[in-house]
Structure formats: C-alpha cells, structure tokens
C-alpha cells in the first residue's frame, strides 16, 4: 500500500504521514503564490514610480507658482498635430475648398507658430507667461499605411521626416526665445507606424513620429543656448502625462477611440474614450483633469477634453466620408495657476476667405 492509498486511513502512521505531506505541499504552494503576488506588487510599484518620474513629471518650472506680483496670464500651450507632411490634397477632388502639399505645409506651419505668438503677445499684452508648452500630438507625417497615400505623396515618408525636422527645429527655438523656456510633450499617431496593422508592443518605437521626436530632441539639445530651457517628453508608450501648475493633462493621439456616427458624430466616442481612460489611469494612481488628443481633425474645446484640428485640412477622405468641413487650424490655450484652462483659441493656418458682407452688423429686412 503506497502513501496515497494509506492516506485513506487517517489515524494510521502511513495515513498521518500522507496527510502531513499534503498539508506541507499546500503550504509550500501558497507560500510560492504569496511570494509571486508580493513580487508582482513590488514590480507594479516600481513601474508606477518609474512612470510617474519619467512620464508624469514635467520640468519644475511648469508647476511653480508665480513669485512676483505681476499680471500673470499663465502658461500657453500650442498643440501641433495631424500635420500630415508629405500628403497631397488635390483641389479639384475636394471641390476647390482645399489644397495641400509640402510647400503649403511649410507655409501653414510657419503661419501657425507666428500666429500663436501674435495672439498671445498682442491680444493679452501686457502680462507674464512664464514659459510655454508645445504639444506634438502625432500624425506629423503622412506615412505609408495606405497605398494611395504613398502613391500620391510629393515626398517619401523618410524625406517628410527630414523636411519636418528642419521646419520644427527653428520653430521650437523661436518659441523658446519668445517665452524663455519650452516643454515639448510628444505622442505618436497612427499614420506614422511602419506596420499596416497597428502594433501594441514597441508600437511607438516603430513609428516615424517617434523617430522625428528623437531627432528633434537631439538637434535642439545639442545647441548650448537651449540646454535646460527646452525639454522633450517622449514616452515609450502611447500616452504622455504632465502637469501645468495644478492642472493635470493626459496627452494621447486619439486613434484608440473608435466610432462616431449619427447626429452626435464623434462626440460619443470622445466622451466614452475619456471615461475609460480616466478609469484606467485613476486605477494606477495617475488621475488627470484634461484629456488632450488629435486624430479627428476637428478642433473642439469640451471642458475636460481638448480635440485638436489639423494642418492638412479637408481632404479626399473627409469628403468621401461626409465629414464636416473645417479649415486647417491648431489649438492654443492658457493654463492659469489658479483658474486652470483659460483663453481657448484657434490658430488658423490660412488667410480668411474674403466675405461678401462688408457691414460690421446688419439686420435682415422683413417684407
């Protein structure tokens, strides 16, 4: 009779031995499980601490309260996303309401940067800002995920990265010169990925946006004039968390939010996606106040959500999909040390069209 069989007869020496052996094995198994749980918990704490240190924390100056008794407007944020450098939009294919290529993209980007400075300096003069945040929100280049984009682009995707790098470096330096210091949070979009199918593991590092950001950080960082004054936040994941004064921002591209039809359009996907994102980050100790995203090519300020416009503007895809027309524009807002988000504006990338109406106000005649 072996131990297993003897175990049926509790009270016999063999049965007692088998029972003790089973209890000992169970205790050892439970000890191993608890050890794994403890190790996992410690790993999670280390990960959260690492994320909080490397992703959540902006430079100290963005959270410092103003020290001098001056008129403080707050810290401005200019969001640059959905630039789609390399894409060609043919005017004849969109009823003549838009046209886009690399030459136009350069002009629009320069107009947005200079227009943001003019809005802040002229509209809000005089007053202090204390620095600036320039968000790079993804889809910076058109990429290679669709054959039609690659076939009609006026530059290859790699050439577009080089072209946009050469445009953004002086823009970033100019903003740093104007506002003293600059923080640049970055996330990748969906157009820059190297795989046709979205990749979760190592997704950002296999994206042309990520490569662009790395080049920008190295180029600007190599200039002693901007060392310590311009900081880049380039996470390994798809989101970037940062804080300006007491307002906590969560930056994502927005392509993970899907749906959007009927009279509400994309509003429900935005709200649903924000609710899920808040729940997720709240569970790991990283709550936020405002979700910031691009991707949808529609500039909207929705209180706890900011959705950016685009530089490429209305294109063939938007026309075929029956999306609303919107001129090329980018988001600009202020974060006040006490009031939070204020001065929410659009920076238009093109001159306004000439209006047929000349009167500053008119009242329609009633027959």
């Amino acid at each position: 009779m072996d131990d297993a069989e003897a175990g049926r007869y509790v009270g016999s020496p063999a049965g007692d031995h088998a029972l003790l052996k089973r209890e000992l094995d169970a205790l050892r198994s439970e000890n191993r499980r608890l050890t794994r749980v403890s190790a996992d918990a410690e790993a999670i704490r280390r990960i959260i601490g690492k994320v909080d240190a490397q992703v959540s924390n902006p430079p100290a100056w963005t959270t410092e309260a103003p020290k001098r008794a001056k008129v403080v407007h707050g810290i401005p944020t200019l969001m640059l996303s959905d630039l789609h450098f390399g894409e060609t939009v043919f005017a004849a294919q969109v009823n003549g309401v838009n046209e886009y290529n690399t030459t136009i993209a350069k002009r629009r980007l320069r107009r947005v940067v200079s227009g943001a400075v003019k809005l802040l300096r002229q509209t809000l003069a005089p007053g202090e800002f204390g620095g600036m945040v320039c968000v790079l929100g993804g889809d910076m280049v058109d990429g290679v995920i669709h054959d039609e984009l690659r076939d009609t682009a006026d530059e290859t995707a790699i050439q577009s990265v080089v072209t946009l790098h050469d445009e953004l470096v002086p823009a970033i330096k100019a903003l740093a010169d104007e506002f003293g210091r600059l923080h640049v949070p970055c996330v990748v979009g969906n157009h820059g990925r190297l795989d046709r199918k979205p990749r979760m593991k190592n997704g950002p590092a296999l994206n042309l946006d990520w490569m662009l950001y790395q080049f920008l950080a190295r180029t600007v960082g190599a200039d002693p004039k901007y060392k310590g004054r311009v900081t880049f936040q380039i996470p390994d994941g798809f989101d970037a968390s940062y804080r300006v004064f007491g307002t906590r921002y969560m930056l994502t591209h927005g392509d993970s939010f899907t749906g959007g039809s009927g009279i509400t359009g994309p509003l429900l996907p935005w709200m649903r996606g924000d609710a899920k994102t808040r729940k997720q980050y709240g569970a790991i100790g990283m709550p936020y106040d405002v979700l910031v995203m691009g991707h949808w090519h529609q500039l909207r300020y929705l209180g706890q959500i900011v959705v950016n416009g685009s530089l490429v503007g209305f294109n063939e895809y938007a026309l075929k999909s029956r999306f609303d027309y919107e001129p090329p524009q980018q988001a600009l807002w202020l974060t006040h040390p006490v009031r939070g988000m204020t001065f929410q504006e659009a920076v238009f990338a093109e001159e306004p069209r000439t209006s047929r109406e000349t009167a500053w106000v008119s009242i329609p005649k009633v027959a």
Side-chain angles (χ1 to χ4, degrees), residues 137-352:
D139 280 3
M140 311 302 284
V141 297
D142 202 33
V144 295
I145 59 173
H146 300 303
D147 289 336
E148 61 176 319
L149 298 177
R150 185 171 61 249
D151 294 343
T152 58
D154 63 355
E155 285 190 332
T156 68
I158 301 300
Q159 287 174 321
S160 296
V161 170
V162 175
T163 300
L164 183 52
H165 168 274
D166 293 347
E167 289 294 314
L168 283 175
V169 167
I172 288 171
K173 290 182 176 181
L175 292 174
D177 290 339
E178 183 68 35
F179 297 99
R181 45 195 178 180
L182 188 72
H183 181 55
V184 189
C186 310
V187 293
V188 303
N190 59 299
H191 269 259
R193 67 178 187 262
L194 299 181
D195 299 277
R196 294 295 180 94
K197 185 178 179 181
R199 178 186 289 266
M200 306 305 149
K201 295 184 182 297
N202 296 323
L206 291 170
N207 192 298
L208 294 171
D209 290 340
W210 188 87
M211 183 173 70
L212 169 68
Y213 303 151
Q214 296 292 337
F215 288 162
L216 289 172
R218 283 160 174 73
T219 301
V220 177
D223 191 334
K225 180 180 177 182
Y226 300 96
K227 185 175 180 61
R229 294 175 51 218
V230 179
T231 52
F232 284 81
Q233 182 180 346
I234 312 173
D236 292 332
F238 291 98
D239 305 326
S241 174
Y242 63 97
R243 184 163 59 94
V244 181
F245 296 126
T247 303
R248 299 163 299 184
Y249 290 98
M250 181 63 67
L251 170 64
T252 191
H253 179 61
D255 57 309
S256 58
F257 303 162
T258 58
S261 60
I263 195 170
T264 61
L267 182 59
L268 287 181
W270 294 344
M271 296 176 66
R272 183 171 59 245
D274 177 48
K276 293 172 67 175
T277 306
R278 286 180 188 275
K279 180 179 179 182
Q280 182 186 71
Y281 275 101
I284 62 173
M286 295 176 61
Y288 64 86
D289 301 305
V290 181
L291 179 71
V292 178
M293 61 179 163
H295 181 67
W296 295 85
H297 295 206
Q298 296 183 37
L299 178 57
R300 299 290 185 273
Y301 292 105
L302 302 172
Q304 294 181 331
I305 303 173
V306 175
V307 188
N308 198 26
S310 72
L311 202 68
V312 61
F314 195 76
N315 60 11
E316 294 85 353
Y317 177 76
L319 178 65
K320 179 67 174 177
S321 302
R322 305 307 178 200
F323 294 154
D324 291 341
Y325 171 79
E326 180 172 294
Q329 56 188 338
Q330 299 282 270
L332 175 70
W333 70 89
L334 286 174
T335 305
H336 190 270
V338 177
R339 302 183 184 278
M341 285 186 65
T342 62
F343 188 73
Q344 301 164 5
E345 267 292 348
V347 186
F348 294 100
E350 291 282 7
E351 291 286 348

Side-chain angles (χ1 to χ4, degrees), residues 101-116:
N101 52 45
T102 298
T103 300
I104 295 173
K106 291 179 181 180
R107 187 187 72 231
R108 288 183 181 178
L109 179 58
R110 294 169 187 174
R111 179 179 172 82
V112 165
V113 173
S114 62

